[in-house]
Amino acid sequence: MMRACCFAAMLPLLFAGAAPAVESAAPPQPFGALPTDAHLAWHELEYYGFIHFTLNTFTDREWGNGDESPQRFNPGHLDAEQWARVAKESGMKGLILTAKHHDGFCLWPSRYTEHSVKNSPWKNGQGDVVKACADACRKHGLKFGAYLSPWDRNHAQYARPAYVQYYRNQLRELLTNYGEIFETWYDGANGGTGYYGGANERRTIDNRTYYEWPQAWALVRELQPGCIRFSDGGPDIRWVGNERGLGYDPNWATFDREGRWPGISVKESLWHGDRGGTHWVPAECDVSIRPGWFWHESQNDKVKTLDQLLEIYYASVGQGCNLLLNIPPDRRGLFHENDVARLLELGRVLQDTFRTDLARGKPVTASNVRSGAECFDARRVTDGDRRTYWAADDDVREATLEVDLGGKVEFDRVRLQEHIPLGQRVEAFEVAARVGGQWQTLAQAQTIGPRRILRMDRVQADRLRVKLTKCLACPTLATIEVYNSPSAAN
Ligand code: FUL
């Protein structure tokens, strides 16, 4: 497939009568663990929203006990389209809804429990928040995902075999009745105590074996082949190891997945991934726009500032993770005005920042081009197509690419991307710019992977240099992009 791509890229040149391209331009051999097509699509999403909404919204709690009456669930003005509109405008690519949180209350009328919206006054028990949200997402061009808490403080059979079947039945409902689900979320939390059908006791489980995860993962694969499964241990993507939305450097998408499951936290591995790890399990960063995951009146004035959100954006998306930003609807069933204002502000700044790639179409030279071949030429990194890429010869472990910006250009962001379908390779690099005739180092960092956005002081430079100083195998680069943020946002 790669070879075909390469020759396709050569055709216009041959027809234009340019010098014949060098032959034997086979792409590099894939290196290490590789992403699936579902991973590749997921990486492109970059930033999407989390919606924490349940009885907790009405009881002012973060973790419901499981004995709350469904009668308390009554969001008089619920409008999932407002969620989707605001999410879309703020640059998000999808929404993940807490279909069921730890209290066991279901936002859809599950046929396996009475503890759901069907016994609430909302829409006289005829409503379905999962459907409303899934429909709104589709209408507004967003992906839709679901959080289904394994820990269930309401269910009488929790910690016994019958609950495992119940959980799987619910997964099946969610994955068959609501169209495409791009991601499912399995939280590892388990505090032991709960209502459990009136038992009001502590129940402990072995979180490695109790839920029979391999069977659950297989069911998801069967029902939704493209669905990405999140947990502390994958299998498709991993928790980043903090709830502050911050990624790390180095950030390997590769991960030693054996012996990991929801609820186990091997922090170093979650933070950084595992260099040379066995599977492609990239990190997702989750954080709430407020201190809590659920809406609390007392936190209406504690919505994160634009600066805080930008810090989070560059620490997560900027370091190759995806960002899952939580916005909790209030008791009306709407995003609160303060959250809306902040999200739209963030969306505007991101749009203004990344509107114009100042390196697009600019000439690039490289210290090495794979077989000297046209299809792997350095100009592939500025051709505006993130699928084409520059590649080096097999024995190369250090390389330099230099972009001629064609005169003085002002910028403060550089976005890089490896050609990850062939694996993650770069483990140290530097970025420098020629400012007033002098080379100035702008950044030194470790991994690039699916994406690296460097946020730096604004410079005026006529050349940009990216030096890959340490690579696990011969390097590839899909893009070098250059941006200038609006002055208030640096
Ligand atoms: C945690 C849960 O216990 C919180 O309530 C929240 O859902 C967060 C995203 O994950 O572990």
Side-chain angles (χ1 to χ4, degrees):
M1 198 184 93
M2 296 300 162
R3 190 184 283 267
C5 261
C6 178
F7 289 135
M10 279 157 45
L11 283 178
L13 285 150
L14 295 175
F15 286 124
V22 177
E23 288 188 29
S24 70
Q29 286 297 312
F31 174 79
L34 300 177
T36 60
D37 286 348
H39 278 127
L40 294 174
W42 177 85
H43 281 297
E44 285 186 14
L45 300 178
E46 299 192 349
Y47 158 52
Y48 37 89
F50 215 176
I51 300 204
H52 272 68
F53 189 49
T54 191
L55 281 165
N56 291 345
T57 312
F58 299 86
T59 57
D60 213 11
R61 298 188 67 165
E62 279 288 308
W63 278 9
N65 186 47
D67 57 358
E68 297 78 13
S69 165
Q71 287 296 319
R72 300 195 66 170
F73 187 82
N74 197 7
H77 297 91
L78 188 138
D79 181 7
E81 290 219 16
Q82 184 235 18
W83 310 347
R85 269 195 313 271
V86 172
K88 181 82 183 178
E89 234 184 293
S90 86
M92 290 177 174
K93 301 281 175 42
L95 289 175
I96 298 180
L97 172 69
T98 52
K100 181 182 87 167
H101 199 251
H102 310 327
D103 64 0
F105 182 73
C106 298
L107 293 185
W108 79 104
S110 171
R111 53 186 276 231
Y112 301 102
T113 180
E114 294 304 306
H115 199 55
S116 83
V117 283
K118 74 182 169 206
N119 286 314
S120 78
W122 178 59
K123 293 195 165 183
N124 293 320
Q126 300 302 304
D128 182 341
V129 186
V130 175
K131 181 165 180 353
C133 189
D135 288 350
C137 283
R138 260 177 278 286
K139 179 164 169 194
H140 294 274
L142 297 173
K143 303 265 180 202
F144 176 67
Y147 171 124
L148 186 68
S149 172
W151 183 30
D152 188 321
R153 305 177 89 186
N154 173 263
H155 203 277
Q157 297 301 321
Y158 183 76
R160 303 182 181 136
Y163 173 77
V164 179
Q165 187 56 48
Y166 169 80
Y167 185 78
R168 233 173 280 158
N169 289 341
Q170 295 203 317
L171 257 186
R172 186 177 283 278
E173 281 185 317
L174 289 172
L175 295 171
T176 37
N177 298 334
Y178 298 95
E180 190 195 315
I181 307 275
F182 86 100
E183 183 172 324
T184 41
W185 228 84
Y186 308 92
D187 192 85
N190 188 316
T193 59
Y195 170 67
Y196 304 127
N200 285 310
E201 59 190 9
R202 170 177 295 278
R203 291 189 182 173
T204 49
I205 50 132
D206 176 344
N207 61 14
R208 185 173 62 90
T209 54
Y210 173 61
Y211 298 105
E212 299 174 358
W213 285 118
Q215 283 95 309
W217 302 149
L219 179 67
V220 179
R221 247 315 135 268
E222 173 202 322
L223 298 172
Q224 297 262 352
C227 178
I228 288 288
R229 300 156 297 180
F230 164 98
S231 88
D232 303 327
D236 300 318
I237 58 170
R238 68 178 197 266
W239 182 44
V240 76
N242 69 71
E243 290 188 338
R244 289 172 296 134
L246 308 177
Y248 298 84
D249 188 28
N251 174 26
W252 295 102
T254 50
F255 184 66
D256 291 327
R257 195 176 69 184
E258 260 341 282
R260 309 285 172 85
W261 54 84
I264 174 181
S265 277
V266 183
K267 287 287 168 119
E268 283 281 327
S269 253
L270 292 173
W271 294 336
H272 298 293
D274 295 311
R275 179 178 177 274
T278 53
H279 292 80
W280 190 270
V281 187
E284 180 185 83
C285 299
D286 58 321
V287 62
S288 185
I289 197 165
R290 291 161 170 244
W293 291 101
F294 288 92
W295 179 84
H296 306 282
E297 173 100 62
S298 59
Q299 296 181 357
N300 281 347
D301 59 355
K302 298 203 167 59
V303 175
K304 289 191 170 56
T305 63
L306 177 63
D307 278 353
Q308 286 173 318
L309 291 178
L310 285 170
E311 284 296 331
I312 288 169
Y313 181 86
Y314 286 103
S316 56
V317 176
Q319 301 203 97
C321 306
N322 276 7
L323 170 60
L324 176 58
L325 176 63
N326 179 65
I327 321 102
D330 60 17
R331 287 184 189 160
R332 295 171 300 175
L334 296 172
F335 288 170
H336 185 271
E337 289 71 2
N338 294 354
D339 307 53
V340 172
R342 194 52 42 75
L343 281 173
L344 297 183
E345 211 180 341
L346 175 67
R348 273 194 299 275
V349 170
L350 293 178
Q351 223 176 39
D352 288 347
T353 302
F354 296 106
R355 184 172 291 121
T356 312
D357 171 10
L358 301 163
R360 173 78 66 93
K362 298 287 165 70
V364 192
T365 51
S367 56
N368 174 282
V369 171
R370 187 171 185 79
S371 307
E374 180 60 37
C375 55
F376 299 121
D377 190 81
R379 284 173 301 149
R380 299 288 166 220
V381 301
T382 55
D383 66 1
D385 184 346
R386 291 176 181 166
R387 289 161 310 173
T388 63
Y389 60 101
W390 159 85
D393 284 317
D394 283 343
D395 57 350
V396 171
R397 296 292 178 273
E398 278 180 46
T400 303
L401 290 94
E402 201 171 304
V403 185
D404 178 356
L405 294 168
K408 233 193 295 174
V409 168
E410 195 168 69
F411 64 90
D412 58 3
R413 304 282 186 273
V414 172
R415 187 188 188 286
L416 306 173
Q417 185 171 321
E418 287 180 68
H419 182 66
I420 54 168
L422 293 180
Q424 187 176 356
R425 295 154 185 257
V426 177
E427 62 175 332
F429 70 98
E430 291 170 14
V431 174
R434 198 170 72 177
V435 181
Q438 301 286 318
W439 282 101
Q440 201 174 296
T441 303
L442 303 180
Q444 284 180 316
Q446 299 186 62
T447 48
I448 299 176
R451 181 185 331 106
R452 187 73 195 242
I453 309 172
L454 301 156
R455 189 189 193 194
M456 50 200 37
D457 289 340
R458 205 179 305 276
V459 289
Q460 286 193 343
D462 64 349
R463 280 177 172 267
L464 178 77
R465 195 166 67 194
V466 176
K467 206 166 168 185
L468 308 175
T469 51
K470 213 170 160 203
C471 303
L472 296 178
C474 64
T476 69
L477 263 195
T479 55
I480 299 180
E481 298 165 26
V482 171
Y483 298 98
N484 200 23
S485 69
S487 26
N490 198 351

